Amino acid sequence: MDMTEFNERDPFDGRDVRRDAFVVDDSEVDALRAGEDARTQDIPDRGQLELEDRHALRRVAGLSTELADVTEVEYRSLRLERVVLIGVWTSGTQLDADNSLIELKQLAETAGAMVLEGATQRRSKPDPATYVGAGKAAELREIVEATGADTVICDGELTPGQLRQLEEVVKVKVIDRTALILDIFAQHARSREGKAQVELAQLTYLLPRLRGWGESLSRQAGGRAGSNGGVGLRGPGETKIETDRRRINSRMAKLRRQLAQMATARDVMRDRRRTRQVPAVAIAGYTNAGKSSLLNRLTGAGVLVENALFATLDPTVRQARTPDGRAFTLSDTVGFVRHLPHQLVEAFRSTLEEVADSDLILHVVDGSHPDPEQQLASVREVFGEIGARDVPELIVINKTDAADPVLLKQLRTKEPGAIEVSAHTGAGVEELVAAIAEALPRLDHEVRVVVPYERGDLVSRVHEEGRIITEEHTGEGTALRAYVPEALAGQLDAFTVAVR
Ligand SMILES: Nc1nc2c(ncn2[C@@H]2O[C@H](COP(=O)(O)OP(=O)(O)OP(=O)(O)O)[C@@H](O)[C@H]2O)c(=O)[nH]1
Ligand SMILES: [Mg+2]
């Protein structure tokens, strides 16, 4: 089908929710209503804006835009409304299975869906044909009918065949956890690079599924608009699939080229930071662990912060200082999730490599979560995939204000080096700052030098990386007494003056 069919629907139908490229955030909507450009309004703090964005993204009803390119395919297939969740529980305890489905519910809600019902089935492995067993699939059909759901979300990654066959039984759209996560990322991507990365991941996921979706859906819905449940169920015809596939392939090639260019720019930036030798600290961890809250808490902590943004870097990289004045960068990163779709890990590789490239990882974990150990393990698995396993890791147990003391104690035993904080109350933040300072390169070299004026670069580096005790401008150059890291001390060696 093409988009003209799509647009036959009343674009202001309240149930019509469009996302990502088509989503207009609240401030823009207001501005449009007021007939003015949002950019001319007072722009609040960037973090605040993004937060508002995120809330605004939950559901934006009644906004519809002409679709321009191939991404229409997966947006159409992922427009979730009323969903039923289904999980196959192969190992672990009932509690693990429940936690997993609770997480799936949170993911679905983040994507903007309303969760009507959830069920798990205990099996040694997912059914190769329909994911859940045949009997359960029929039961699922009944649940779908009883609740009036329009989508089933499976807690795993399904093969194209499983998706198709389960769809045939339940008679509504079936998507898997991977597609759901991709959808959330698509909603949240803000930067040009982020958007390109997500789109590439979505297309990678979509390509092998294109045929399956098309066949099953066009058979079900007769390829006709309006029949059997509307938008999500109208599949492209065979010829359209061929065209789509070609367009998707060329779109992917283009995205890869663009991303490669952006990665080069990023490398240059990173090199610049490297040569300045400002250590980089990356805040990483499971999604919703409180990474951004912690960044705000840390960079709002007076002495630690020089609330300066690197305008040319990713906006979430901030410059900070330890209590004894050493500069470092602190960056917020994309959250991880259990079984992070490998398409996303691939697409976000260059972003994730920032983590691998850092001097220290603050691995934030939600201490109030029922199973923080599982989250730690999932995140470490991704660290392994992106080559970040050798970076020193400081475990930060967050949300101690809301945590169960018994679980907390258990976690403490498993992670004896961990620092416990609450980004909300500020408890433990001082200890965390001290631990960061401890882990960063030390200023244990005292130098007394006179640096000739033509070596202003060295003086700048002492300012940047060291702690200055005295500075005087003399006839021969800048006389400095300072504490600096070892590498810089080596370079200053030639300018050492005798202490009188
Ligand atoms: N009780 C409590 N809640 C917290 C604390 N820190 C963060 N939160 C809450 O946890 C939720 C997630 O916080 P974020 O800072 O957005 O978490 P994040 O790790 O950046 O999440 P993503 O960017 O989505 O991966 C928010 O609702 C916060 O208000 C804390 O110390 N205590
Ligand atoms: Mg965050």
Side-chain angles (χ1 to χ4, degrees), residues 51 54-55 110 188 283-296 332-336 364 366 368 397-403 421-427:
L51 194 67
R54 225 167 110 164
H55 292 313
T110 306
H188 289 174
I283 303 179
Y286 211 79
T287 184
N288 214 43
K291 299 178 295 297
S292 304
S293 308
L294 196 63
L295 178 76
N296 287 336
D332 196 3
T333 60
V334 52
F336 296 174
V364 185
D366 179 353
S368 72
I397 304 171
N398 188 30
K399 307 197 192 181
T400 49
D401 58 293
V421 303
S422 164
H424 271 190
T425 67

XYZ file of all heavy atoms in Angstrom, residues 51 54-55 110 188 283-296 332-336 364 366 368 397-403 421-427, ligand 1:
328
model
N 13.646 16.658 29.148
C 12.742 15.976 30.052
C 11.299 16.225 29.624
O 10.489 15.311 29.532
C 12.983 16.480 31.471
C 12.355 15.651 32.571
C 13.033 14.288 32.625
C 12.507 16.355 33.911
N 10.396 14.363 26.647
C 10.158 12.964 26.869
C 8.756 12.738 27.363
O 8.095 11.794 26.981
C 11.164 12.477 27.904
C 11.758 11.182 27.478
C 12.920 10.905 28.301
N 12.579 9.785 29.168
C 13.495 9.093 29.807
N 14.748 9.429 29.704
N 13.161 8.104 30.557
N 8.304 13.611 28.266
C 6.939 13.452 28.743
C 5.956 13.751 27.620
O 4.961 13.071 27.465
C 6.691 14.351 29.948
C 7.480 13.905 31.137
N 7.526 12.597 31.532
C 8.279 14.576 31.989
C 8.305 12.481 32.586
N 8.778 13.673 32.879
N 6.195 2.978 28.017
C 7.096 4.027 27.552
C 6.855 4.305 26.071
O 6.941 5.441 25.618
C 8.567 3.614 27.765
O 8.742 3.271 29.132
C 9.520 4.735 27.387
N 12.837 8.569 21.255
C 13.679 9.391 22.126
C 14.897 9.992 21.437
O 15.551 10.847 22.005
C 14.140 8.569 23.335
C 13.008 8.287 24.283
N 13.142 7.467 25.366
C 11.727 8.719 24.297
C 11.984 7.403 26.012
N 11.111 8.151 25.370
N 29.009 8.030 32.686
C 27.948 7.492 33.534
C 27.153 6.518 32.676
O 26.571 6.904 31.670
C 27.009 8.602 34.039
C 27.805 9.665 34.786
C 25.926 8.010 34.934
C 26.949 10.821 35.314
N 27.191 5.256 33.053
C 26.481 4.257 32.262
C 25.639 3.414 33.195
O 25.821 3.441 34.407
C 27.481 3.386 31.512
N 24.733 2.672 32.637
C 23.944 1.789 33.474
C 22.603 1.473 32.860
O 22.265 1.976 31.791
N 21.881 0.648 33.554
C 20.578 0.196 33.091
C 19.651 1.390 32.920
O 19.773 2.394 33.608
C 19.986 -0.770 34.103
C 19.105 -1.816 33.477
C 19.661 -2.921 32.856
C 17.734 -1.696 33.525
C 18.853 -3.880 32.277
C 16.921 -2.658 32.954
C 17.491 -3.750 32.325
O 16.693 -4.700 31.750
N 18.742 1.261 32.008
C 17.812 2.359 31.797
C 17.003 2.624 33.070
O 16.670 1.699 33.806
C 16.894 2.077 30.585
O 16.085 3.219 30.389
C 16.005 0.869 30.802
N 16.788 3.898 33.334
C 16.022 4.322 34.502
C 16.757 4.158 35.838
O 16.150 4.268 36.894
C 14.675 3.590 34.574
C 13.599 4.465 35.156
O 13.521 5.640 34.804
N 12.815 3.936 36.050
N 18.053 3.896 35.782
C 18.810 3.727 37.024
C 18.990 5.058 37.742
O 19.284 5.099 38.929
C 20.170 3.103 36.723
N 18.813 6.145 37.001
C 19.001 7.470 37.598
C 20.298 8.123 37.148
O 20.851 8.965 37.847
N 20.770 7.766 35.955
C 22.030 8.305 35.447
C 21.955 9.813 35.250
O 22.837 10.557 35.676
C 22.393 7.640 34.109
C 22.576 6.145 34.206
C 22.887 5.521 32.851
C 21.744 5.637 31.864
N 20.522 4.918 32.276
N 20.889 10.250 34.580
C 20.761 11.685 34.306
C 20.570 12.469 35.603
O 21.122 13.548 35.776
C 19.600 11.941 33.361
O 19.786 11.189 32.191
N 19.782 11.911 36.521
C 19.589 12.564 37.812
C 20.927 12.722 38.519
O 21.206 13.746 39.125
C 18.669 11.734 38.709
O 17.487 11.415 38.050
N 21.731 11.682 38.414
C 23.025 11.716 39.083
C 23.941 12.757 38.435
O 24.652 13.484 39.135
C 23.661 10.329 39.035
C 24.813 10.115 40.000
C 24.351 10.241 41.448
C 25.431 8.736 39.791
N 23.896 12.818 37.114
C 24.706 13.831 36.429
C 24.307 15.225 36.916
O 25.155 16.053 37.218
C 24.528 13.739 34.912
C 25.311 14.803 34.129
C 26.794 14.469 34.077
C 24.776 14.981 32.718
N 23.008 15.433 37.005
C 22.546 16.737 37.476
C 22.967 16.991 38.913
O 23.401 18.093 39.250
C 21.021 16.827 37.375
C 20.588 16.963 35.929
O 21.363 17.416 35.086
N 19.376 16.553 35.640
N 26.774 11.636 30.246
C 25.598 10.803 30.429
C 25.522 9.919 29.194
O 25.897 10.331 28.106
C 24.377 11.731 30.474
C 23.157 11.036 31.033
O 23.261 9.876 31.441
O 22.097 11.680 31.063
N 25.079 8.694 29.327
C 25.005 7.845 28.137
C 23.628 7.237 28.009
O 22.826 7.280 28.927
C 26.030 6.687 28.195
O 25.740 5.900 29.341
C 27.437 7.198 28.260
N 23.422 6.659 26.863
C 22.164 5.979 26.575
C 22.013 4.810 27.548
O 22.966 4.133 27.894
C 22.174 5.519 25.100
C 23.421 4.736 24.760
C 20.959 4.695 24.777
N 20.806 4.630 28.037
C 20.562 3.560 28.991
C 20.635 2.186 28.349
O 20.377 2.024 27.155
N 21.003 1.197 29.133
C 21.032 -0.163 28.629
C 19.777 -0.889 29.095
O 19.113 -0.463 30.025
C 22.252 -0.905 29.166
C 23.561 -0.322 28.708
C 24.754 -0.801 29.213
C 23.613 0.713 27.789
C 25.964 -0.265 28.804
C 24.824 1.247 27.376
C 25.999 0.745 27.890
N 25.914 3.001 37.204
C 24.804 3.304 38.104
C 23.783 2.170 38.062
O 23.406 1.695 36.994
C 24.104 4.618 37.690
C 23.026 4.986 38.702
C 25.122 5.743 37.587
N 20.017 0.819 39.935
C 18.864 1.205 40.747
C 18.739 0.259 41.947
O 18.314 -0.883 41.801
C 17.606 1.139 39.859
C 16.335 1.488 40.612
O 16.393 1.660 41.848
O 15.287 1.597 39.950
N 16.668 0.307 44.239
C 15.293 0.040 44.665
C 14.598 -0.953 43.741
O 13.444 -1.302 43.933
C 14.497 1.349 44.715
O 14.224 1.820 43.414
N 25.338 2.575 43.596
C 23.977 2.099 43.895
C 23.128 3.328 44.203
O 23.329 4.002 45.206
C 23.966 1.122 45.077
C 24.910 -0.059 44.799
C 22.546 0.630 45.354
C 25.126 -0.975 45.992
N 22.204 3.601 43.304
C 21.382 4.811 43.439
C 20.019 4.466 44.047
O 19.676 3.304 44.200
C 21.210 5.445 42.049
C 20.538 6.797 42.117
O 20.670 7.539 43.091
N 19.784 7.143 41.080
N 19.272 5.489 44.361
C 17.911 5.377 44.902
C 17.898 4.670 46.253
O 16.962 3.934 46.564
C 16.975 4.652 43.921
C 16.979 5.260 42.524
C 15.792 4.817 41.706
C 15.974 5.183 40.236
N 14.853 4.793 39.400
N 18.942 4.865 47.045
C 18.978 4.230 48.359
C 17.832 4.732 49.233
O 17.409 4.041 50.148
C 20.313 4.492 49.065
O 20.596 5.894 48.996
C 21.441 3.717 48.429
N 17.319 5.919 48.922
C 16.175 6.430 49.693
C 14.950 5.541 49.555
O 14.110 5.472 50.441
C 15.851 7.867 49.262
C 15.534 7.976 47.786
O 16.455 7.753 46.959
O 14.392 8.263 47.429
N 14.855 4.857 48.412
C 13.659 4.049 48.158
C 13.943 2.552 48.232
O 13.057 1.735 48.007
C 13.100 4.393 46.780
N 15.192 2.197 48.534
C 15.573 0.783 48.448
C 15.168 -0.004 49.697
O 15.074 0.550 50.782
C 17.077 0.674 48.234
N 24.303 5.929 46.929
C 23.860 7.326 46.860
C 22.349 7.414 46.648
O 21.683 6.438 46.334
C 24.531 8.090 45.684
C 26.037 8.057 45.785
C 24.064 7.558 44.342
N 21.873 8.613 46.807
C 20.533 8.940 46.360
C 20.622 10.252 45.600
O 20.967 11.283 46.179
C 19.576 9.085 47.543
O 18.400 9.744 47.100
N 20.370 10.173 44.320
C 20.419 11.399 43.513
C 19.320 12.352 43.970
O 19.434 13.557 43.830
C 20.254 11.072 42.035
N 18.266 11.807 44.550
C 17.162 12.646 45.029
C 17.513 13.419 46.283
O 17.365 14.629 46.333
C 15.917 11.788 45.267
C 15.066 11.657 44.044
N 13.816 11.107 44.038
C 15.313 12.011 42.748
C 13.319 11.120 42.827
N 14.220 11.653 42.015
N 17.978 12.694 47.297
C 18.244 13.379 48.567
C 19.666 13.936 48.641
O 19.955 14.784 49.470
C 18.057 12.422 49.763
O 19.097 11.431 49.695
C 16.702 11.753 49.732
N 20.551 13.427 47.802
C 21.937 13.874 47.843
C 22.785 13.039 48.787
O 23.994 13.248 48.881
N 22.175 12.087 49.461
C 22.930 11.227 50.378
C 24.025 10.477 49.617
O 23.776 9.973 48.526
C 21.994 10.235 51.061
N 13.572 7.499 44.745
C 14.510 7.881 43.905
N 14.224 8.016 42.606
C 15.209 8.409 41.769
C 16.515 8.681 42.233
N 17.276 9.038 41.173
C 16.470 9.002 40.092
N 15.219 8.646 40.448
C 14.058 8.523 39.566
O 14.291 7.474 38.644
C 13.742 7.797 37.378
C 14.776 7.691 36.296
O 15.741 8.685 36.472
P 16.688 9.158 35.286
O 17.708 10.043 35.874
O 15.898 9.640 34.152
O 17.315 7.759 34.909
P 18.286 7.411 33.683
O 19.176 6.318 34.155
O 18.924 8.628 33.155
O 17.227 6.812 32.679
P 17.370 6.623 31.069
O 18.023 7.832 30.520
O 15.973 6.441 30.680
O 18.165 5.377 30.858
C 13.171 9.195 37.521
O 11.810 9.081 37.772
C 13.884 9.752 38.729
O 13.103 10.709 39.388
C 16.782 8.529 43.624
O 17.880 8.734 44.144
N 15.739 8.125 44.411
